Amino acid sequence: MNISFKIIKIHSVITAIIISSFILFISSSLRHALFQSNAYDLGIFDNGIYLISQGKEPFVSFRGLHILGDHAAYILYIIALFYKIYPDVHWLFAIQAFSLSLGALPTYQLSLQAGLKETQAQTLAFVYLLYPLIFNVNLFDFHPEVIALPAILYAVLFARSNNILGFIFTIFIILGCKEVLSVLLIAMGIWLLIFEKKWRYAILSIILGLLWFFISTEFIIPHFSQAPPIAVGVYSFLGNSLPEITLNIILKPGLVLSKILTLANLEYLILLLIPLIWGLWGRHLTPLVSATPILFLNLLAENPQMKNLTQQYSLAILPFLMLAVIENLANGEGWFKQRKWIILWSLIAFFALAKYGYFTSKYLTTLDNWQATREALSYIKTQDNVLTTDKIAPHLTHRPRLELAIEGREKLDLEPFQYVLLNQRHPGWPSSPELIIGLVKRLQNHPHFKLKYYRDGVWLFEKFSRESTN
């Protein structure tokens, strides 16, 4: 009887997760169908995962590196098991939609564990789903760290429940999503040790975080990319290696503060906090200790993409914002206590900051030759090498070699390609109609290529052999 009662109580949360997963999946699938996906990053992950599923080296040709040389994300090898069933990019949309939505369940469970009432726990699950970043990140291609989002919340739940095996499993999932999350686990370990008094879990989190950070940044990424981790380029103003950057963060506080104390960072903090500010207004904010490294890295970066609610860089901060809200409510703090005001605030924040409007504006810009692009794609019958533009690339990533018609590759050798598919009207980033026109002229004068299809600025050239003309 008790089990049945618990199932009934959790029914609304499960229903919300299912509805959310469906909405997110349809949204990302529609965006992809409208040719609004990007080679960077959907094409990168789809190509790498496809090659893994085929037993081939996951060297992403247009990215120029092995998939493990990007962020040491070994979780991609697990995802490749789905591609063995049937290789399709929609697996990534489904995994992402479900992962982002699933975080509502541990949010609900953590709320009950903290002593909140059933209605409060359900409300916070809905608040999580309405946080604008959930919807927006889903629209930005695919990133494996979305899988870490519910895993982080479950790691805290397992630590508080003294479930050591569950905790280790979630740590394995988190570390496999992106190397920088090891820094988050180190900070989470410090929080578990000092504030939660969970010393076994704290030590595990710190040791595994330190170990993976060292292995991934000093061995795995350099080995597979033949270059330092990407973070070295992002924070190059502080040094040319991770140890040098770390040292200069300590030795050059003036430089660090000059990068952090900016209007752009103030705007970022407002956008990040405003959807949950009603519940963060209190004294019980210790969970935010765990989010400090990720927040600091975002504030320190010069890249504006790391300072908004449209991309994945702030995703790992959200679990600890939710935990702080739970702690404040459990201790009778926060602006709002009533369900209706909490939901109203969350709805206002969602409608103000979520990018659903893209489907009536930005995502419709390619409709003028959408049909032509689809028709041109239908003529590509083989998995031979292709040269194409940014927005078309994610539709052609199931092949060993794919290259992009972008700046810096104007003189690219055309001989290795069987097909060249170009969209003159919508060349994508970083390209231009002029660059595409230059390539078209080269192809028209090339002795081994013929025009297979043209309509509305969409060009498809196919390579032919001398034998086929005889």
Side-chain angles (χ1 to χ4, degrees), residues 11-83:
H11 175 74
S12 61
V13 177
I14 298 296
T15 301
I17 290 171
I18 293 171
I19 294 172
S20 173
S21 298
F22 179 76
I23 292 172
L24 296 181
F25 175 73
I26 293 299
S27 298
S28 55
S29 297
L30 177 58
R31 175 181 183 264
H32 182 65
L34 290 170
F35 293 103
Q36 292 297 329
S37 300
N38 303 287
Y40 287 70
D41 294 325
L42 180 61
I44 292 173
F45 291 114
D46 185 46
N47 183 235
I49 293 169
Y50 169 77
L51 293 173
I52 292 170
S53 72
Q54 300 301 302
K56 299 176 181 178
E57 180 186 16
F59 185 88
V60 181
S61 54
F62 63 90
R63 179 72 172 82
L65 86 170
H66 190 287
I67 196 69
L68 286 179
D70 190 19
H71 290 293
Y74 56 76
I75 197 77
L76 300 178
Y77 283 81
I78 298 175
I79 296 175
L81 296 175
F82 293 97
Y83 275 54

Side-chain angles (χ1 to χ4, degrees), residues 133 136-137 139-140 305 308-312 353 355 358:
L133 187 62
N136 294 345
V137 167
L139 293 181
F140 181 42
Q305 294 180 334
N308 57 45
L309 289 192
T310 62
Q311 300 191 29
Q312 76 279 9
L353 300 175
K355 303 303 180 183
Y358 283 175

Side-chain angles (χ1 to χ4, degrees), residues 430-446:
S431 187
S432 66
E434 292 74 22
L435 188 152
I436 300 303
I437 291 171
L439 276 172
V440 168
K441 289 180 179 179
R442 286 183 62 197
L443 288 158
Q444 288 173 331
N445 296 319
H446 199 289

Side-chain angles (χ1 to χ4, degrees), residues 86-102:
Y86 183 75
D88 193 299
V89 71
H90 290 86
W91 281 116
L92 301 187
F93 299 147
I95 291 169
Q96 179 159 271
F98 180 68
S99 297
L100 288 169
S101 302
L102 182 60

Side-chain angles (χ1 to χ4, degrees), residues 6-303:
K6 289 180 179 179
I7 292 174
I8 292 172
K9 288 197 300 181
I10 205 173
H11 175 74
S12 61
V13 177
I14 298 296
T15 301
I17 290 171
I18 293 171
I19 294 172
S20 173
S21 298
F22 179 76
I23 292 172
L24 296 181
F25 175 73
I26 293 299
S27 298
S28 55
S29 297
L30 177 58
R31 175 181 183 264
H32 182 65
L34 290 170
F35 293 103
Q36 292 297 329
S37 300
N38 303 287
Y40 287 70
D41 294 325
L42 180 61
I44 292 173
F45 291 114
D46 185 46
N47 183 235
I49 293 169
Y50 169 77
L51 293 173
I52 292 170
S53 72
Q54 300 301 302
K56 299 176 181 178
E57 180 186 16
F59 185 88
V60 181
S61 54
F62 63 90
R63 179 72 172 82
L65 86 170
H66 190 287
I67 196 69
L68 286 179
D70 190 19
H71 290 293
Y74 56 76
I75 197 77
L76 300 178
Y77 283 81
I78 298 175
I79 296 175
L81 296 175
F82 293 97
Y83 275 54
K84 282 187 174 292
I85 300 172
Y86 183 75
D88 193 299
V89 71
H90 290 86
W91 281 116
L92 301 187
F93 299 147
I95 291 169
Q96 179 159 271
F98 180 68
S99 297
L100 288 169
S101 302
L102 182 60
L105 184 56
T107 297
Y108 166 82
Q109 293 169 307
L110 284 161
S111 299
L112 292 179
Q113 189 183 60
L116 294 180
K117 297 178 182 178
E118 174 68 26
T119 54
Q120 290 177 305
Q122 290 179 352
T123 300
L124 288 182
F126 301 147
V127 167
Y128 166 90
L129 292 172
L130 288 171
Y131 190 78
L133 187 62
I134 297 294
F135 184 84
N136 294 345
V137 167
N138 181 69
L139 293 181
F140 181 42
D141 294 337
F142 169 83
H143 299 89
E145 52 263 51
V146 298
I147 301 170
L149 183 58
I152 292 169
L153 287 163
Y154 268 116
V156 176
L157 181 66
F158 288 140
R160 288 178 171 175
S161 304
N162 295 315
N163 185 337
I164 192 71
L165 292 180
F167 184 78
I168 293 172
F169 176 74
T170 53
I171 295 298
F172 171 79
I173 296 296
I174 295 166
L175 291 176
C177 294
K178 196 173 187 179
E179 88 287 2
V180 73
L181 295 179
S182 58
V183 179
L184 178 134
L185 287 181
I186 295 168
M188 190 176 81
I190 294 171
W191 170 65
L192 288 172
L193 181 65
I194 297 175
F195 299 102
E196 296 289 309
K197 310 302 180 185
K198 298 289 184 179
W199 65 270
R200 282 199 304 170
Y201 300 87
I203 292 172
L204 268 174
S205 187
I206 293 170
I207 290 177
L208 292 176
L210 284 169
L211 186 63
W212 183 244
F213 181 80
F214 177 73
I215 293 172
S216 61
T217 60
E218 294 298 319
F219 294 99
I220 295 177
I221 293 175
H223 172 75
F224 286 105
S225 68
Q226 300 299 308
I230 294 173
V232 174
V234 175
Y235 305 101
S236 58
F237 60 90
L238 284 169
N240 298 316
S241 67
L242 288 180
E244 187 178 355
I245 290 171
T246 304
L247 184 62
N248 283 331
I249 287 174
I250 300 170
L251 298 180
K252 298 181 178 180
L255 177 59
V256 170
L257 287 175
S258 70
K259 298 294 182 181
I260 290 179
L261 301 178
T262 66
L263 289 177
N265 281 342
L266 177 60
E267 179 186 14
Y268 167 55
L269 288 173
I270 291 173
L271 292 175
L272 185 69
L273 300 177
I274 198 68
L276 298 172
I277 193 65
W278 59 269
L280 294 171
W281 205 263
R283 296 169 294 172
H284 300 272
L285 301 175
T286 59
L288 298 183
V289 170
S290 304
T292 301
I294 302 298
L295 179 60
F296 174 75
L297 291 174
N298 290 349
L299 293 172
L300 186 61
E302 295 178 317
N303 184 356

Side-chain angles (χ1 to χ4, degrees), residues 4 98 214 334 340 358 365 367:
S4 299
F98 180 68
F214 177 73
K340 62 179 180 180
Y358 283 175
T365 56
L367 284 182

